[in-house]
Amino acid sequence: MPKRSIPRTMPSAAQEVSISLGERSYTIAIGSGLLADPLSYGGLPKASAALIVSNTTVAPLYAQGLRAALAPHYAQVHEVLLPDGEEHKTWQTLQTIFDALLEHGCDRKTVLFALGGGVVGDMTGFAAASYMRGVPFVQVPTTLLSQVDSSVGGKTGINHPLGKNMVGAFYQPQRVVCDLDVLRTLPAREFSAGLAEVIKYGPIADMQFFEWLEQNMDALVAQQPGALAHAVRRSCEIKAAVVGQDERESGLRAILNFGHTFGHAIEAGMGYGAWLHGEGVGAGMVMAAELSCRLKLVDAAFVARLTALIRRAGLPTQGPVLDRADNAGRYLQLMRVDKKSEAGEIRFVLIDGPGQAVVRSAPDAEVRAVIDACCGRD
């Protein structure tokens, strides 16, 4: 892979957050009007061809603008469209990207551009990591969730019927281009799902940011530009700091999975696509906070604060019933195949006092009590 080159010029509207990973370092550009600006893509690895990977929902809105912005940099700009939805994050869909690369005769210098949300970004990154054993790629996230979380940090992959993101690779992009303007076309449900990944950063790392979210959640839901820019930037700063210390999740980075152990169980148990990822994380954060309280790491007042903020973001605060005969048992079964489990022992991200997180196991009896208390009432 070529050595990373952080550009000397970027659009004047762009704020920049850097991910410091030595030769794998890169910039996250945040601002308005970035997607269709050729300056957003200056300084990337030289290549004769680029491949835009998008889906059937996003491409009609933004592929033409991205193609025009890439035209000054690449002699050929190809496109491949994927079906939209978490349920399509599979080997079969991934193969569509490889088919396009091979049909167009793409070589190992070809640059892939992921134009879409978390599903498109994860699959494009995995394809880039695998094709010819590694080609460059760029994230152009078009959902709030992907701008503040999934596009940053190099996690790529696909789902398996038995578990979310169980097949993949750590593979860093060359750049992330977060155009805040594209969020205007998001359905309200998708935007709320992204707010779950914004909210998580407060309890695990920055209570000042949590308090800012409490004061500004209404402005965020209304997508006021100043509030939105701050939320995206601060989320990226926190994630960049964590990834810079622990790229491959051997320790600290695991705290970014707050709410995800329960949330992934919800997604798998309901069938991928029934609940959005952020919706599962929203309910999952309440469950993780409740478990933290039962283990005497935080008090009930903090759980109530977090629950109220999640509700204000338009997210569910109760999990679904996955099995009427033994709901807690079904959750436990699914969580034991989560990537964070070790030798069958479930590892939870818990709040060890507001603004701090810890990864640890918990007695099954306590987990069952949390699931019984937190599911099926919304």
Side-chain angles (χ1 to χ4, degrees):
M1 289 293 297
K3 187 174 180 179
R4 297 298 168 93
S5 175
I6 294 179
R8 295 193 179 110
T9 60
M10 287 287 285
S12 59
Q15 301 180 55
E16 296 182 28
V17 175
S18 296
I19 297 267
S20 298
L21 293 168
E23 290 190 350
R24 295 182 307 287
S25 298
Y26 55 96
T27 293
I28 306 163
I30 303 165
S32 296
L34 302 186
L35 186 149
D37 190 333
L39 283 176
S40 298
Y41 311 101
L44 291 169
K46 301 295 183 184
S48 61
L51 177 70
I52 298 171
V53 182
S54 192
N55 66 33
T56 53
T57 300
V58 174
L61 299 172
Y62 301 115
Q64 184 176 350
L66 178 57
R67 176 186 279 273
L70 296 179
H73 303 290
Y74 304 97
Q76 296 178 304
V77 180
H78 308 295
E79 287 181 36
V80 59
L81 298 188
L82 311 180
D84 189 12
E86 185 80 27
E87 66 271 26
H88 299 295
K89 194 176 175 182
T90 63
W91 274 118
Q92 290 76 16
T93 306
L94 184 69
Q95 193 75 9
T96 305
I97 304 176
F98 294 134
D99 289 345
L101 287 163
L102 290 164
E103 287 167 3
H104 291 299
C106 293
D107 59 28
R108 64 177 66 247
K109 291 186 177 180
T110 301
V111 184
L112 275 60
F113 288 81
L115 176 66
V119 172
V120 167
D122 280 9
M123 287 200 293
T124 304
F126 192 24
S130 306
Y131 186 68
M132 292 192 175
R133 299 185 177 89
V135 297
F137 87 108
V138 174
Q139 293 272 18
V140 189
T142 59
T143 66
L144 179 59
L145 188 148
S146 57
Q147 289 190 0
V148 301
D149 184 63
S150 63
S151 69
V152 179
K155 280 188 177 181
T156 74
I158 57 173
N159 296 332
H160 186 278
L162 297 180
K164 183 177 171 69
N165 293 330
M166 294 300 287
V167 182
F170 285 99
Y171 194 71
Q172 300 295 340
Q174 299 282 324
R175 186 170 305 155
V176 181
V177 178
C178 296
D179 188 338
L180 302 178
D181 291 347
V182 305
L183 302 180
R184 295 173 188 160
T185 58
L186 273 184
R189 184 183 175 197
E190 291 273 2
F191 187 82
S192 288
L195 288 174
E197 296 286 6
V198 174
I199 290 169
K200 79 173 182 189
Y201 290 111
I204 65 171
D206 186 349
M207 282 303 291
Q208 283 189 328
F209 184 49
F210 184 83
E211 291 162 6
W212 182 89
L213 288 171
E214 289 180 312
Q215 295 164 10
N216 291 275
M217 183 53 68
D218 293 344
L220 275 178
V221 171
Q223 295 193 39
Q224 292 183 10
L228 191 56
H230 179 74
V232 173
R233 181 185 178 96
R234 186 62 191 133
S235 297
C236 288
E237 286 173 344
I238 294 170
K239 184 156 189 181
V242 172
V243 171
Q245 296 176 69
D246 180 20
E247 181 181 3
R248 293 180 176 264
E249 202 171 296
S250 59
L252 177 65
R253 184 169 177 170
I255 69 171
L256 297 173
N257 294 312
F258 176 53
H260 287 57
T261 301
F262 290 106
H264 286 173
I266 291 169
E267 288 183 84
M270 292 295 288
Y272 294 119
W275 276 50
L276 298 178
H277 174 68
E279 292 170 337
V281 170
M285 285 191 290
V286 175
M287 297 162 84
E290 177 65 24
L291 182 57
S292 303
C293 183
R294 288 173 183 266
L295 297 175
K296 304 188 185 310
L297 302 176
V298 294
D299 59 22
F302 178 77
V303 179
R305 259 180 96 183
L306 177 59
T307 302
L309 185 61
I310 292 167
R311 186 177 290 115
R312 286 176 61 200
L315 292 162
T317 57
Q318 289 275 317
V321 174
L322 302 181
D323 185 330
R324 296 202 174 276
D326 183 8
N327 189 47
R330 179 61 176 147
Y331 271 86
L332 286 164
Q333 178 187 38
L334 289 165
M335 290 190 291
R336 283 197 168 87
V337 296
D338 190 85
K339 297 186 300 301
K340 293 171 286 298
S341 66
E342 297 177 3
E345 183 178 67
I346 305 166
R347 306 285 288 174
F348 296 95
V349 181
L350 303 176
I351 302 304
D352 191 15
Q356 301 180 76
V358 64
V359 182
R360 55 168 285 187
S361 59
D364 277 6
E366 294 286 6
V367 179
R368 280 182 170 273
V370 166
I371 295 166
D372 290 342
C374 294
C375 291
R377 295 181 183 177
D378 273 5

